[in-house]
Amino acid sequence: MCLPTWAQELMNVSGRVVDDTQEPMIGVSVVEKGTTNGSVTDLDGVFKLKARKGATLVISYIGYATQEVKAGQNLKIVIKEDSKILDDVVVVGYGIQKKSSVTGAISQVKAEDIENRTITDAKQALQGKTAGVQIVSSSAAPGSSPTVRIRGFSSNVSSEPLYVVDGIRMSDISGIDPNDIASMEILKDAASAAIYGAEAGNGVVLITTKKGKAGEGHISYSFQYTGQSLARVPKMLNAEEYIQYMTEGNTFTKDYLSANWDGKTDTKWTDVAFEDSKMTKHNLGFSGGNDRGNYYLSLSYLNNDGIVKGDADTYQRLTATINSEYKIKSWLKVGTTNQTEKYNVRQVSSNSEYGSLLTSVLMLDPLTPDTYANGTLPFHVQNALNNKKHLLTDANGNYYGISNFYAGEQYHPMIMRDNNLARNSGFNINGSIYADFTPIKGFTFTSRFGYRLAGTRSSTTSLPFYGNGVQSRDYVSQSSQSSTSIYYQWENFANYLMSLGKHNINTMVGMSYQESTYDYVQGGLNANGEDALLKNDPLFYYLNFASASAVKSVAGEKTRTAKLSYFGRLSYDYAGKYYAQFSLRADAADLALLPKNTRWGYFPAASLGWTVSEEKFFTPLRNTINSLKLRASWGQNGSLSALSGYSYSTDMTQSGLYPFTSGINYLRGVSPSTMGNDNLKWETSEQTDIGIDAYAFNSRLNFSMDYFNKKTKDLLIWNTTPSLEIGGNTSPINAGNVSNKGFEFELGWRDHIKDFSYGIRANLATISNKVTYIDPSITRLAGSTFHTYTVTYFEQNYPVYYFRGYKFAGIDPKTGNPTFADLDKSGNISDGDLTYIGDAIPNFTYGLTITAAYKGFDLTIFGTGSQGNDIFNCINRPDYAASNKQKELFYTDRWTVNHTKATQPRAGAANMDKYACSSAMVFDGSYFKIKQIQLGLTLPKKWISKIAVSNARVYLSLDDFFTFTKYKGFDPEASANATSGMGIDKGTYPMSKKFVLGFNIDF
């Protein structure tokens, strides 16, 4: 009898859902409120279902405002975009928070900032998109990964932030496909990052990967084709200029040059080494869900062939993502996240004054041909061939050119490319399985097991070659290495939200255990008068095929580290006006890193917020300034990035043979190698932040500003001087402090005029960096070197790893020789005259994004820049006078007998060794790069809905096409490495400019 009664209460419900432009919306969820009864719209935006009379329908779709309407027939429902929904929640450590209640300095990079770009590493998505984040790149080669710096440079060893992907700590995120990322949160201040304690001293980057949404299943496919070419080419001396310069400097006589040059060769080595190349990306995704669960599956393939000729700089990557969660009971939800990566990478040599393909194109003379055609070889090449040297050839069998003018570590770039076969490959598998228990309202207990597995394989076959009289190899040798890393973490934490009137309290407590192991094995076969391998043939390029004379080597080791942590957080707000948050984390390292008495570190934090706009006195301004919030925070974080295994221990080493007994019996002696330090402890970063957030003009304008003062203390320092009584070598001690302070600004405007919509977002961050203390027994710590000169130092009262050298005082008009400031007034130029000559840390960085859309067309322009950073040009070694020269650095305004008021020394000048490490070689590295100019077209839904397509977009883009800088090298972002080598250009693999064609299609 109940069934007929129930049937009488049901009614047919139907309608059509459209957007602002009256286009049908496909896949919109239509659910009877309070039930699981629902439907989704079809290709025409139409839905049908049965519902109870008087029921309310809930209309929802990701990125659009949820609506509720009364059930009826032939309904027409217009849904509007509501990006505020996406902004409303940000991810924090072990939870989420409403953006309105955040009291720390947290920036967010959303999927829209990542999609349809040519970036291959998620770190690249952070550049220019948020204030206070700088990207340092030591190479733009395929497969290379940049380094992220958040609010300055805090350490003498490493300032890398902590990466957390779906709750799992990662040491590297290069294997996460950017297409799979839903959002990235950057925890910049100590209060936000303190919940990660000992690992958060350099900031935290939280990455959330995509999940499915309730509604009809969704299929997406995207394709991108990119044409790449060399973006900037330094001006080098041509053949005529080279001859003029070398004869002026008496490096060569005209007779010698005439006898060894064919009179017509004028090689441009950048043309020899580089070519136009391509990169392709594919991404296929599946997602869907209902009110109980969801799923997201994706498969991506990347193939990037770099701009060096041939296939010696390539990167292939296959990634897969599987995310899913399901609500088994009303009180239990389970889920899993998984990312898998398989990669292969080959790279050419760069960033070295002792043999680098990228440096060779700037040092080789233009008189040497690329190849010798028609079998005609000059005497010095024929002589090498007669002496059974291994001369390499191109694909047509022509011998590569060998200079008869310059003989050093640099030689023909294609010989450098072909004289060894280096192959690197590996895999990364990381993910988690978790369960959320909700036994009572407001209380959630989460148990999460995370894992990370990684394996790498590398193999290098060193082949016989002849580059010049200095660089050659007569025999083939082989080396290989294989390694495995296993990491897992188990975390349990509980969140409890309680509301008492206008009082809202959120508490969180938890624990974490982490363990990681690493083991490797490596072997080598070195030549000993003959080939180390049985045969110089690719089939024999393995350790198994050793010749009898080969010198064999083998090594291997396994290490293990672990950490135990407890943490908690208390958040309070009153009536959406006043906010307070307190957190504490306690971390314990195992004995592999710290001694037992100092293994525990405690990292507290506190923050306050005041939403001024909620006060009664603000009412007259509320129509203009919709929201105004003030916030302040303080906290401490830690770091152990400078430590290796058992650095604190007292070690003993064998130190010689001693005749303690009669006869010829000798005993092996043992002596201390390090003194030990039982008081070694965590590095600590303490930071204060004051900020303001504002929204105005119906939230079309948003603005935020932060001032931060970050002090890193107890830096781990080596090389302190022991007392004469003790002797030996010291272990590291906590003996250094660094200060970073600055302002951050973010400004955005978004509006529309009828069918035309547009948006502007800009950010700017200043930074003031200084080493404030170093142990008195150390004057300065040496950093990177150029040839025999140390050029960067870590020293009190200077920026981290500043440039130190001679201060160039101009050209002597009588001799044409460079002169230098005699700072110590000794009467001659010596080490006492070395001083600060620049640094690589910018005064400020900035970014600008402009978007516009009109009736299906959309335009994005994105640029980023840096101001006030210096670059130390370390290309030309002074001991090789015959190397080619950058025209604008050595030739254009050089001293001659007819030009004595020059700014550059004469050819063959004296004191060029000091000139090479002086302020004359330090240049302004400021730049502005237009990273992207993209024009897209979204096809009308009335066209594509007929073929079951819900969305289709095609686009063209120019990426990294325009660079504005005074620097004359390849790339103003050059760095030898990300710490002590910042801003040092030794031939960095340059950024390429890219022409992009792509499309996205959704079903």
Side-chain angles (χ1 to χ4, degrees):
M1 293 179 60
C2 292
L3 289 175
T5 303
W6 175 252
Q8 290 173 4
E9 295 178 354
L10 296 179
M11 62 177 292
N12 291 321
V13 178
S14 62
R16 187 168 184 260
V17 181
V18 297
D19 62 12
D20 284 337
T21 63
Q22 302 301 307
E23 292 288 342
M25 293 294 296
I26 306 169
V28 177
S29 175
V30 182
V31 178
E32 182 182 351
K33 188 174 182 179
T35 73
T36 59
N37 176 40
S39 178
V40 293
T41 58
D42 61 17
L43 298 177
D44 297 316
V46 174
F47 67 89
K48 295 179 181 179
L49 73 154
K50 291 183 180 294
R52 291 174 294 176
K53 289 183 179 180
T56 298
L57 303 180
V58 179
I59 317 297
S60 62
Y61 190 74
I62 184 172
Y64 289 77
T66 300
Q67 296 186 39
E68 294 185 2
V69 299
K70 188 175 181 179
Q73 294 184 351
N74 300 320
L75 299 171
K76 183 177 181 181
I77 302 168
V78 179
I79 61 174
K80 298 182 178 181
E81 291 187 25
D82 186 4
S83 59
K84 187 177 180 181
I85 294 176
L86 300 178
D87 293 340
D88 199 32
V89 171
V90 294
V91 178
V92 296
Y94 304 100
I96 59 174
Q97 286 184 353
K98 287 186 177 181
K99 199 167 188 179
S100 59
S101 65
V102 169
T103 53
I106 301 177
S107 292
Q108 188 178 55
V109 176
K110 294 176 278 190
E112 64 191 60
D113 296 312
I114 304 173
E115 295 170 344
N116 302 322
R117 293 184 59 191
T118 52
I119 58 174
T120 59
D121 191 307
K123 297 177 187 177
Q124 297 167 328
L126 299 174
Q127 186 176 28
K129 291 298 184 179
T130 182
V133 178
Q134 184 182 354
I135 301 298
V136 181
S137 176
S138 59
S139 174
S144 62
S145 183
T147 300
V148 176
R149 291 289 181 262
I150 298 175
R151 290 188 167 179
F153 303 81
S154 303
S155 178
N156 55 309
V157 177
S158 175
S159 299
E160 188 85 357
L162 170 67
Y163 301 99
V164 182
V165 180
D166 293 327
I168 310 304
R169 289 161 181 76
M170 304 279 285
S171 57
D172 181 31
I173 57 172
S174 59
I176 305 296
D177 192 278
N179 286 306
D180 293 330
I181 295 176
S183 70
M184 302 173 72
E185 273 81 13
I186 301 92
L187 312 184
K188 296 187 290 187
D189 69 324
S192 300
I195 201 66
Y196 289 104
E199 300 166 283
N202 300 309
V204 182
V205 177
L206 302 180
I207 296 178
T208 303
T209 57
K210 294 178 179 178
K211 293 182 179 180
K213 303 295 181 181
E216 186 177 2
H218 184 77
I219 304 173
S220 63
Y221 172 72
S222 62
F223 170 77
Q224 190 179 87
Y225 175 87
T226 302
Q228 306 175 117
S229 59
L230 186 61
R232 304 177 76 244
V233 181
K235 295 180 180 179
M236 307 302 296
L237 302 184
N238 61 27
E240 181 181 347
E241 294 162 341
Y242 179 83
I243 292 173
Q244 178 69 28
Y245 191 86
M246 294 302 156
T247 54
E248 282 182 15
N250 295 319
T251 304
F252 299 111
T253 64
K254 284 191 175 180
D255 290 342
Y256 180 85
L257 291 172
S258 299
N260 291 278
W261 180 48
D262 60 11
K264 58 182 180 181
T265 296
D266 190 0
T267 304
K268 191 174 181 180
W269 290 102
T270 50
D271 290 344
V272 172
F274 299 105
E275 66 179 355
D276 294 345
S277 64
K278 67 178 182 178
M279 176 174 65
T280 56
K281 295 168 66 177
H282 303 263
N283 181 266
L284 178 63
F286 307 88
S287 63
N290 53 35
D291 61 326
R292 296 185 68 89
N294 61 75
Y295 62 90
Y296 174 82
L297 314 173
S298 77
L299 186 66
S300 300
Y301 177 70
L302 166 70
N303 187 3
N304 186 5
D305 184 2
I307 55 177
V308 173
K309 283 185 178 179
D311 60 355
D313 59 331
T314 58
Y315 179 48
Q316 293 93 29
R317 183 180 70 197
L318 180 66
T319 58
T321 297
I322 303 174
N323 293 343
S324 180
E325 60 183 11
Y326 194 80
K327 197 168 187 178
I328 298 176
K329 300 288 185 180
S330 60
W331 47 268
L332 175 62
K333 180 174 70 175
V334 297
T336 182
T337 63
N338 302 272
Q339 292 91 36
T340 302
E341 173 203 15
K342 175 67 177 72
Y343 66 89
N344 293 277
V345 61
R346 294 192 64 196
Q347 294 184 341
V348 297
S349 57
S350 63
N351 262 330
S352 175
E353 65 271 44
Y354 298 116
S356 159
L357 187 151
L358 271 299
T359 310
S360 70
V361 300
L362 300 178
M363 295 193 70
L364 290 184
D365 62 88
L367 309 185
T368 301
D370 174 21
T371 60
Y372 303 109
N374 303 320
T376 57
L377 300 180
F379 174 79
H380 69 287
V381 179
Q382 185 63 54
N383 185 58
L385 197 61
N386 295 339
N387 289 322
K388 297 183 180 181
K389 296 296 182 180
H390 295 264
L391 274 64
L392 302 185
T393 63
D394 66 7
N396 297 319
N398 298 316
Y399 288 108
Y400 287 124
I402 298 173
S403 177
N404 201 24
F405 309 99
Y406 168 82
E409 285 86 355
Q410 319 294 345
Y411 45 95
H412 196 297
M414 297 297 96
I415 298 179
M416 301 186 84
R417 179 197 67 182
D418 296 341
N419 69 8
N420 73 77
L421 298 177
R423 292 163 293 202
N424 296 278
S425 62
F427 68 88
N428 289 285
I429 303 173
N430 56 273
S432 68
I433 180 171
Y434 59 90
D436 292 338
F437 300 88
T438 311
I440 59 175
K441 183 179 180 181
F443 178 85
T444 302
F445 174 80
T446 300
S447 183
R448 179 170 59 207
F449 178 83
Y451 63 90
R452 188 174 70 240
L453 311 174
T456 64
R457 293 181 296 176
S458 62
S459 173
T460 299
T461 306
S462 300
L463 300 173
F465 77 96
Y466 183 81
N468 53 41
V470 176
Q471 292 292 306
S472 65
R473 186 186 303 121
D474 294 328
Y475 306 106
V476 62
S477 59
Q478 178 74 24
S479 64
S480 299
Q481 177 171 316
S482 179
S483 67
T484 303
S485 300
I486 301 176
Y487 166 87
Y488 71 86
Q489 65 182 56
W490 184 36
E491 297 183 317
N492 299 279
F493 54 95
N495 282 275
Y496 182 58
L497 177 62
M498 178 176 58
S499 297
L500 299 172
K502 294 183 179 181
H503 302 273
N504 298 298
I505 301 173
N506 190 349
T507 59
M508 186 275 293
V509 294
M511 61 79 63
S512 174
Y513 176 77
Q514 305 165 47
E515 182 173 317
S516 61
T517 58
Y518 171 79
D519 65 86
Y520 74 95
V521 61
Q522 66 180 33
L525 301 174
N526 295 315
N528 186 21
E530 63 179 25
D531 286 343
L533 296 173
L534 290 177
K535 190 175 182 181
N536 187 358
D537 185 288
L539 295 176
F540 291 82
Y541 293 163
Y542 300 95
L543 296 176
N544 269 354
F545 301 104
S547 62
S549 64
V551 177
K552 302 176 182 178
S553 62
V554 64
E557 187 181 19
K558 181 178 181 178
T559 60
R560 172 192 175 275
T561 59
K563 187 157 70 71
L564 176 66
S565 308
Y566 299 97
F567 48 86
R569 179 172 58 213
L570 172 65
S571 302
Y572 168 81
D573 80 78
Y574 175 77
K577 294 182 185 179
Y578 313 114
Y579 302 90
Q581 182 171 286
F582 307 93
S583 67
L584 175 66
R585 181 169 180 126
D587 287 306
D590 69 10
L591 292 178
L593 296 176
L594 288 175
K596 187 175 182 180
N597 60 315
T598 60
R599 61 164 48 169
W600 281 98
Y602 300 92
F603 306 99
S607 58
L608 301 172
W610 176 28
T611 306
V612 183
S613 56
E614 291 298 313
E615 300 290 353
K616 289 184 179 180
F617 64 79
F618 201 86
T619 302
L621 299 174
R622 200 170 295 157
N623 289 334
T624 302
I625 303 177
N626 313 118
S627 177
L628 177 64
K629 182 171 66 176
L630 305 178
R631 48 185 169 77
S633 68
W634 171 91
Q636 292 184 338
N637 307 126
S639 175
L640 276 176
S641 58
L643 284 184
S644 56
Y646 299 96
S647 299
Y648 65 90
S649 63
T650 301
D651 299 325
M652 309 292 286
T653 58
Q654 295 179 344
S655 58
L657 296 173
Y658 298 90
F660 290 118
T661 59
S662 59
I664 57 172
N665 295 318
Y666 291 84
L667 297 177
R668 177 73 67 178
V670 176
S671 64
S673 62
T674 58
M675 297 165 54
N677 180 10
D678 288 337
N679 295 315
L680 197 65
K681 60 183 180 180
W682 310 85
E683 289 183 359
T684 301
S685 175
E686 182 175 293
Q687 187 175 172
T688 302
D689 184 281
I690 300 173
I692 180 173
D693 299 318
Y695 292 85
F697 307 112
N698 293 324
S699 295
R700 288 176 293 178
L701 175 71
N702 67 278
F703 171 77
S704 67
M705 182 188 74
D706 283 86
Y707 168 77
F708 67 91
N709 189 346
K710 181 180 180 182
K711 300 177 181 179
T712 305
K713 57 186 179 180
D714 298 327
L715 292 186
L716 299 165
I717 303 292
W718 276 260
N719 302 322
T720 54
T721 303
S723 67
L724 295 177
E725 291 85 355
I726 297 176
N729 298 319
T730 59
S731 296
I733 65 173
N734 298 99
N737 299 343
V738 173
S739 170
N740 289 276
K741 60 180 67 175
F743 290 90
E744 297 171 353
F745 304 90
E746 294 192 3
L747 179 68
W749 174 269
R750 182 173 56 188
D751 199 5
H752 68 90
I753 304 172
K754 294 185 178 180
D755 293 334
F756 176 72
S757 61
Y758 66 97
I760 301 173
R761 288 184 294 142
N763 65 79
L764 183 146
T766 69
I767 186 70
S768 174
N769 173 272
K770 186 167 68 173
V771 178
T772 56
Y773 171 77
I774 193 170
D775 186 83
S777 69
I778 301 176
T779 303
R780 60 186 67 92
L781 295 176
S784 289
T785 61
F786 169 50
H787 190 35
T788 58
Y789 325 106
T790 301
V791 293
T792 66
Y793 285 92
F794 185 94
E795 184 176 356
Q796 187 170 330
N797 296 323
Y798 292 98
V800 168
Y801 289 111
Y802 73 98
F803 302 151
R804 180 177 171 86
Y806 298 104
K807 187 175 181 179
F808 177 58
I811 302 300
D812 184 342
K814 295 181 180 180
T815 64
N817 294 326
T819 64
F820 309 94
D822 183 10
L823 300 180
D824 64 359
K825 307 301 181 182
S826 65
N828 56 65
I829 304 302
S830 61
D831 288 353
D833 301 308
L834 296 172
T835 186
Y836 169 90
I837 57 175
D839 64 86
I841 299 176
N843 296 327
F844 62 88
T845 56
Y846 57 96
L848 177 67
T849 303
I850 300 173
T851 59
Y854 179 75
K855 290 187 175 181
F857 289 95
D858 61 85
L859 174 69
T860 300
I861 301 175
F862 164 53
T864 184
S866 175
Q867 185 68 38
N869 54 294
D870 297 316
I871 291 184
F872 206 145
N873 187 292
C874 295
I875 299 294
N876 282 91
R877 276 174 47 182
D879 53 331
Y880 287 127
S883 66
N884 202 358
K885 304 291 188 290
Q886 284 184 249
K887 186 175 181 178
E888 295 166 303
L889 272 58
F890 291 91
Y891 184 85
T892 303
D893 196 34
R894 74 191 186 283
W895 184 97
T896 65
V897 293
N898 297 319
H899 179 47
T900 60
K901 295 182 179 180
T903 59
Q904 298 163 357
R906 64 177 174 86
N911 295 322
M912 291 302 287
D913 56 334
K914 293 180 174 62
Y915 188 78
C917 57
S918 74
S919 59
M921 289 290 100
V922 177
F923 301 92
D924 182 5
S926 303
Y927 69 88
F928 175 68
K929 287 187 176 184
I930 300 180
K931 304 288 288 185
Q932 183 181 52
I933 303 176
Q934 184 175 117
L935 178 64
L937 172 62
T938 300
L939 302 180
K941 293 182 179 179
K942 62 182 179 182
W943 295 359
I944 60 178
S945 60
K946 298 177 182 179
I947 54 173
V949 175
S950 59
N951 186 69
R953 179 179 179 269
V954 295
Y955 61 91
L956 295 172
S957 185
L958 300 178
D959 286 12
D960 300 302
F961 233 79
F962 303 101
T963 299
F964 304 93
T965 183
K966 294 180 181 179
Y967 184 59
K968 305 304 180 182
F970 273 125
D971 194 336
E973 293 187 83
S975 285
N977 60 61
T979 305
S980 63
M982 295 180 298
I984 294 179
D985 187 359
K986 294 185 179 182
T988 301
Y989 192 110
M991 184 72 69
S992 61
K993 59 182 180 181
K994 308 171 184 67
F995 174 79
V996 188
L997 171 65
F999 68 85
N1000 308 318
I1001 186 168
D1002 298 331
F1003 301 91

